[in-house]
Amino acid sequence: MNRKFSKFIIVALAASAGLTACNPTSEQQQTYAGNLLNSSTMISAFSLKANNKVMANLDNVFFSIDQVKGEIFNADSLPWGTDVRKIVTNISTQGEATVQIIMPSLTDGSQVTVEVSDSVNFTGANGVWARVTAADGSRERVYSVKVNVHSCNPDSLQWNMTPTQLPSLNLLQQQTLAMGNQYYCIARTAQNAINLYTTSDPEHPVWQSVNTDLPADADVNSLAATDDALFIRCASGAVMTSTDGMAWTEATTGWSHIYGTYGSQLLGVKDGKWISWPAGNGGELPAGMPVSDTSRLWTFTNDWALQPQAMFIGGKDADGNLSGDAWGFDGRSWMRLSGYLGARQLPQATGMALVPYFTFRVNTQNFLSTKQSMWLAMGGKLSDGTLNKTVYYSLDNGVNWLEGGESIQLPSAIAPRHGASMLLIEKTLTSRAVRPINEWDAPYLMIMGGYDANDRLLSQGWVGVINRLTFKPLQ
C-alpha cells in the first residue's frame, strides 16, 4: 500500500546504468556474459576492510555475490549515516586475475579507475564497478558493487504529516476503537446527541453514520470492546453493551469506571472495588490504584506468565491523587508494576495514551536486527493542568519508563493532548519483488482525537510507524 510517509528506500550506492568513458560497451557486455562462469574472471569473495573510524566491525558485513547477474551487495544495509566515501575492499578471485575499481571521483564526480588496494567512493550516483581481467588478458568481466546504507534512521517513529479527520467537526467528545474488522467512533455532538460512525479504514476513512439508541448520559470516553462486543458506561452507573453499536442493552449497573476488557471480561470499578462482568469476580483495590481517568487497558502475553497480562497507566485514585504508575492484571488480581525503589516512573497524569509496539536491537557483530516488544506512553494532563509533551517507553512491561530519544518524540505538528484514542493498525506492505517475499505485515500507530488543555476536542487523527517495520524483510 502506497503512503507518502512510508516510501522509505534503502540507498543503493551503485547504479545499474552503463558507465561513461570507462563503460563497457554493449558488445563487451555480451562478451562478459559469455564469460559468466569462467573461473578466470570470477570474484569468489568480497568484503570491506576493518575501519573503526567508519564503523565498528565493518569487516564483518556480509556481502552476497550473484554470479549470474554479476552483482555484489549487502542485503542488510549499513546503519543510517555511515560514511562510505573512502572504503577499502577485500576482493578474492579465482586464479591470478587482476581487479580494478571504476568509481566516481571525490573531487569532481568524473569516472576514475583505481587499483583494488585503493580506497573506494561508494556514494556516487553512477555507482561502482569491479572489472576483472584474466591473468592472460583474454577475458574480462564487470561486476556492479553496491554498498547499501539506510537512507533514514530505521528506528525513528515517522508520522504522516497529512492528518485524517474525525467524522464531523461538530463534535464535543469522541472515542474510537476496533472490533473485528470495523472501527467504531462514538461521539457526542455540539447538540448533545450521541452519534455512531463506522469505517473499515481509519487511515483513509469513509465514515458511515449509523443510528444508535445509546442513552443521552452515555460517557463517550468510557468506550471499550472485546472481540465481539462494545461497552460504555452511563452517568447513572449503568453499563450498556452492543454487538453492532446500534442496539444497546443494559448489562450491569453501579459502575463508576471502566478500565477496559480482558478476554471476554469487562473490568471496572463498583462501590470502591474492582469488578468483572459477566463473571462477577472482583475484590479490594490495592492501595493507590486509580479509579478514574486511566489509559486504555491493553492485554498482552509474555514468556514469564501462564495467562495473558493486561496493563494501564496513569489516572486518579479515590483520594483525587494523580498516578504515574503502571498497573497490571493477570486474570485474578491487580498489581502495581512500577514505582518501586530505583524504578523510573511516568509523570503523574490523567488521560495518558498507552500502546504496545516494537523496537529493534542490532547486533554490532553481524548487524542483524531483532524485534523486541516495547510499550509507548504519551500525552496526558498533569497536576498543574498542562499537557505532557514527552513520549516515554518501557522495555520491561511497565516496570521502568524512560524518556524516549528524539527519534520517537512527536513532531511539533501533532499538538499535545489527553484522552486520545490510540489504535494499532495492521497493514500489509508490498514490494515489486515477485518471490520469495513480496509482502509483509507492519503495525502502524494511530492517534485519534484527544483533548487540549481546555478539554476541547482535537478533530484530527495521525498515523505513524517505526521506519524499520516498513523495510522489506531480508530474503
Side-chain angles (χ1 to χ4, degrees):
M1 178 175 293
N2 292 328
R3 281 175 296 274
K4 292 181 181 179
F5 67 99
S6 64
K7 294 180 180 177
F8 306 120
I9 60 172
I10 298 175
V11 179
L13 297 177
S16 59
L19 300 173
T20 60
C22 299
N23 296 0
T25 65
S26 297
E27 183 178 344
Q28 287 173 320
Q29 287 284 25
Q30 293 176 2
T31 302
Y32 298 153
N35 296 335
L36 186 63
L37 300 179
N38 190 290
S39 61
S40 65
T41 57
M42 183 179 293
I43 292 179
S44 57
F46 181 94
S47 64
L48 306 179
K49 284 193 175 182
N51 187 340
N52 288 334
K53 293 182 179 179
V54 174
M55 190 182 74
N57 302 306
L58 186 63
D59 53 333
N60 287 342
V61 176
F62 177 75
F63 281 82
S64 299
I65 303 178
D66 188 329
Q67 298 292 358
V68 176
K69 295 181 179 179
E71 296 176 349
I72 300 172
F73 60 94
N74 56 316
D76 197 9
S77 299
L78 300 185
W80 174 62
T82 303
D83 186 353
V84 292
R85 292 175 299 171
K86 297 180 180 180
I87 304 293
V88 180
T89 63
N90 291 311
I91 299 178
S92 299
T93 61
Q94 303 275 38
E96 299 297 325
T98 59
V99 181
Q100 292 179 311
I101 302 296
I102 305 168
M103 70 172 194
S105 167
L106 279 172
T107 56
D108 59 11
S110 62
Q111 295 291 342
V112 296
T113 301
V114 299
E115 300 303 316
V116 71
S117 58
D118 294 331
S119 62
V120 180
N121 171 26
F122 285 101
T123 64
N126 291 327
V128 170
W129 297 76
R131 181 164 58 197
V132 185
T133 305
D136 60 4
S138 63
R139 297 175 183 272
E140 283 189 350
R141 188 178 181 202
V142 172
Y143 289 79
S144 70
V145 183
K146 302 177 182 180
V147 176
N148 293 323
V149 180
H150 285 301
S151 63
C152 58
N153 183 351
D155 299 310
S156 176
L157 182 55
Q158 185 78 15
W159 294 88
N160 185 354
M161 290 295 96
T162 303
T164 63
Q165 297 294 325
L166 294 180
S168 170
L169 297 178
N170 184 35
L171 301 179
L172 299 178
Q173 297 175 317
Q174 78 83 37
Q175 281 295 308
T176 303
L177 47 67
M179 184 179 71
N181 296 322
Q182 283 288 104
Y183 292 84
Y184 295 79
C185 174
I186 300 289
R188 183 179 297 278
T189 71
Q191 291 73 38
N192 207 33
I194 304 293
N195 286 356
L196 168 66
Y197 306 91
T198 65
T199 184
S200 60
D201 183 4
E203 183 183 357
H204 308 97
V206 177
W207 293 102
Q208 302 295 321
S209 180
V210 184
N211 292 329
T212 180
D213 60 2
L214 271 171
D217 67 340
D219 179 4
V220 167
N221 294 311
S222 69
L223 184 65
T226 60
D227 290 338
D228 55 10
L230 298 168
F231 298 90
I232 200 165
R233 191 188 68 85
C234 299
S236 65
V239 174
M240 310 298 292
T241 186
S242 173
T243 58
D244 59 11
M246 296 182 288
W248 293 79
T249 59
E250 184 177 289
T252 183
T253 60
W255 286 39
S256 59
H257 181 59
I258 289 177
Y259 290 118
T261 60
Y262 177 87
S264 62
Q265 298 294 307
L266 181 69
L267 302 177
V269 180
K270 180 178 181 179
D271 299 329
K273 299 180 180 181
W274 75 268
I275 191 169
S276 67
W277 185 90
N281 299 325
E284 298 293 332
L285 291 169
M289 182 172 167
V291 296
S292 67
D293 300 300
T294 60
S295 76
R296 174 185 172 185
L297 184 71
W298 285 89
T299 302
F300 63 99
T301 58
N302 61 40
D303 296 333
W304 301 278
L306 296 177
Q307 300 295 326
Q309 311 292 296
M311 179 167 64
F312 73 78
I313 56 174
K316 187 182 297 183
D317 68 16
D319 295 325
N321 300 311
L322 271 59
S323 173
D325 288 326
W327 290 83
F329 182 74
D330 63 1
R332 294 180 298 178
S333 61
W334 292 92
M335 178 180 180
R336 189 177 67 172
L337 302 175
S338 61
Y340 296 100
L341 183 64
R344 285 163 283 194
Q345 287 183 267
L346 291 165
Q348 296 176 342
T350 59
M352 294 191 77
L354 174 70
V355 66
Y357 208 48
F358 301 99
T359 186
F360 292 82
R361 285 184 174 178
V362 179
N363 186 318
T364 57
Q365 295 298 317
N366 57 22
F367 306 102
L368 294 178
S369 58
T370 303
K371 189 162 69 171
Q372 179 182 9
S373 296
M374 172 178 69
W375 290 87
L376 293 176
M378 61 189 75
K381 182 181 284 190
L382 305 175
S383 58
D384 62 1
T386 62
L387 299 177
N388 168 47
K389 300 179 181 179
T390 303
V391 176
Y392 295 83
Y393 71 95
S394 174
L395 300 177
D396 53 13
N397 288 326
V399 177
N400 287 281
W401 292 90
L402 304 176
E403 183 174 327
E406 182 179 354
S407 63
I408 66 170
Q409 297 301 319
L410 296 179
S412 58
I414 302 181
R417 64 199 62 210
H418 70 99
S421 301
M422 199 73 184
L423 307 178
L424 196 59
I425 306 171
E426 289 293 339
K427 290 291 182 182
T428 298
L429 305 185
T430 60
S431 75
R432 295 179 180 177
V434 177
R435 60 179 185 270
I437 298 175
N438 66 348
E439 65 178 31
W440 64 100
D441 293 332
Y444 279 64
L445 302 176
M446 187 166 189
I447 302 172
M448 289 286 284
Y451 307 91
D452 66 15
N454 296 313
D455 298 331
R456 293 173 299 202
L457 181 65
L458 301 170
S459 62
Q460 296 174 324
W462 303 86
V463 179
V465 66
I466 293 289
N467 285 346
R468 196 186 295 267
L469 292 170
T470 70
F471 297 161
K472 181 183 175 183
L474 295 180
Q475 53 184 338

